[in-house]
Amino acid sequence: MKHVKTFLEIEKLSRSLDVPVVFYIKTKRKSSFSTLISAILSSRTKDEITGEVMKKFLKEVKDFEDLKNIPLKRLEKLIYPVGFYKNKARNLKRLGEIILDRYQGKIPQEFDELIKLPGIGRKVANLILAEIFQKDTICVDTHVHRISNRLGWVRTKTPEETEKELRRIFPKKYWRRINKVLVAFGQGICKPLKPLCCKCPVKKLCPKVGVKKSSYPLFPFNR
Ligand code: SF4
């Protein structure tokens, strides 16, 4: 399976790249509350910003009880400047209330329950299941979607389609690893606008589907 071999090469390289923020917070804080919050805040936000915001956030908000009780305006100020901070603050307040009132303070472990929660869509739900509950799921964000298409693993238009295809072509034991590896790779090498193909360990295996500009001559790709 060529795609598995390519993935393993990328995984090897990813160990020398910066760890994506959600995984960093998970390892450093070792709490499902902070992992969940960082997964929500990191959406449409640069990792450096999420990291800085998480530092000040966790000084004041340590659990769902604090989240329920903090005034909305204060919460907005705390999470500024993450993307969509006003919406996220409103959703986080509701999330605190719902988790305490409906789930006895525990994060639900089922996908269908998670996506009912405010501010949690398919991507974040899969990330939570994989990283908090060690379930075999694939979180497809913009990096995973873009890179899987560039590498020719999938030919899809939406992250949902990509998730379905990746589930089909990768054995289950790889599913949980895909997000961490491809996010680190997407931030460090296979960047959205101008991928650093010259530094890429799989450049000879990659058809570079849809890549218009690169730091490496695009054709012929298999030199
Ligand atoms: S060769 Fe370029 S487009 Fe292909 S995976 Fe590597 S960095 Fe991305």
Side-chain angles (χ1 to χ4, degrees):
M1 282 191 280
K2 194 176 132 196
H3 57 282
V4 172
K5 188 172 163 243
T6 309
F7 173 74
L8 292 173
E9 281 300 314
I10 297 174
E11 185 173 51
K12 220 184 291 164
L13 169 96
S14 75
R15 295 189 191 115
S16 63
L17 298 170
D18 285 347
V19 178
V21 70
V22 175
F23 300 90
Y24 175 78
I25 302 267
K26 178 189 161 187
T27 313
K28 195 164 159 64
R29 302 282 176 168
K30 295 185 176 43
S31 99
S32 29
F33 176 73
S34 25
T35 307
L36 170 70
I37 302 296
S38 63
I40 294 171
L41 294 185
S42 68
S43 171
R44 308 231 192 162
T45 304
K46 284 192 184 319
D47 271 14
E48 309 84 80
I49 293 178
T50 308
E52 283 308 309
V53 164
M54 282 303 293
K55 261 191 234 161
K56 51 178 183 147
F57 177 90
L58 290 171
K59 278 189 191 142
E60 231 171 283
V61 185
K62 299 187 191 315
D63 51 30
F64 291 113
E65 197 69 47
D66 291 345
L67 196 54
K68 184 178 174 180
N69 294 330
I70 189 170
L72 181 61
K73 285 285 163 205
R74 178 67 195 142
L75 184 56
E76 284 178 3
K77 210 167 169 189
L78 261 188
I79 66 169
Y80 179 83
V82 300
F84 304 97
Y85 70 97
K86 285 196 178 207
N87 274 345
K88 285 182 185 170
R90 236 190 342 262
N91 284 335
L92 284 177
K93 287 264 321 149
R94 284 285 298 137
L95 181 71
E97 289 161 12
I98 294 172
I99 297 261
L100 287 172
D101 300 345
R102 214 178 286 164
Y103 297 99
Q104 296 75 48
K106 302 235 177 338
I107 302 169
Q109 300 198 24
E110 292 77 36
F111 180 84
D112 291 341
E113 291 299 309
L114 282 168
I115 55 168
K116 282 186 205 154
L117 297 171
I120 298 188
R122 187 170 191 95
K123 181 184 75 175
V124 173
N126 276 329
L127 191 57
I128 292 165
L129 289 176
E131 298 310 317
I132 298 180
F133 300 116
Q134 289 78 47
K135 298 206 175 172
D136 290 320
T137 62
I138 306 179
C139 167
V140 176
D141 67 354
T142 167
H143 294 290
V144 176
H145 178 58
R146 179 182 74 252
I147 297 167
S148 302
N149 274 282
R150 281 180 176 172
L151 284 162
W153 291 348
V154 300
R155 276 168 187 257
T156 52
K157 296 248 180 304
T158 64
E160 285 79 7
E161 288 169 17
T162 302
E163 185 190 325
K164 202 170 153 200
E165 276 303 287
L166 291 177
R167 280 172 175 264
R168 193 179 63 76
I169 63 172
F170 274 91
K172 239 182 199 179
K173 65 176 180 177
Y174 297 106
W175 290 7
R176 283 181 52 212
R177 287 148 63 179
I178 289 175
N179 182 270
K180 183 179 182 186
V181 169
L182 294 192
V183 172
F185 184 58
Q187 289 172 341
I189 304 286
C190 194
K191 299 180 180 218
L193 295 181
K194 207 172 172 193
L196 307 179
C197 300
C198 59
K199 293 190 180 168
C200 179
V202 296
K203 56 180 175 272
K204 290 186 179 164
L205 301 166
C206 178
K208 305 182 184 75
V209 177
V211 176
K212 293 196 173 65
K213 282 188 188 167
S214 156
S215 59
Y216 188 73
L218 289 176
F219 300 105
F221 63 80
N222 56 347
R223 66 181 68 199

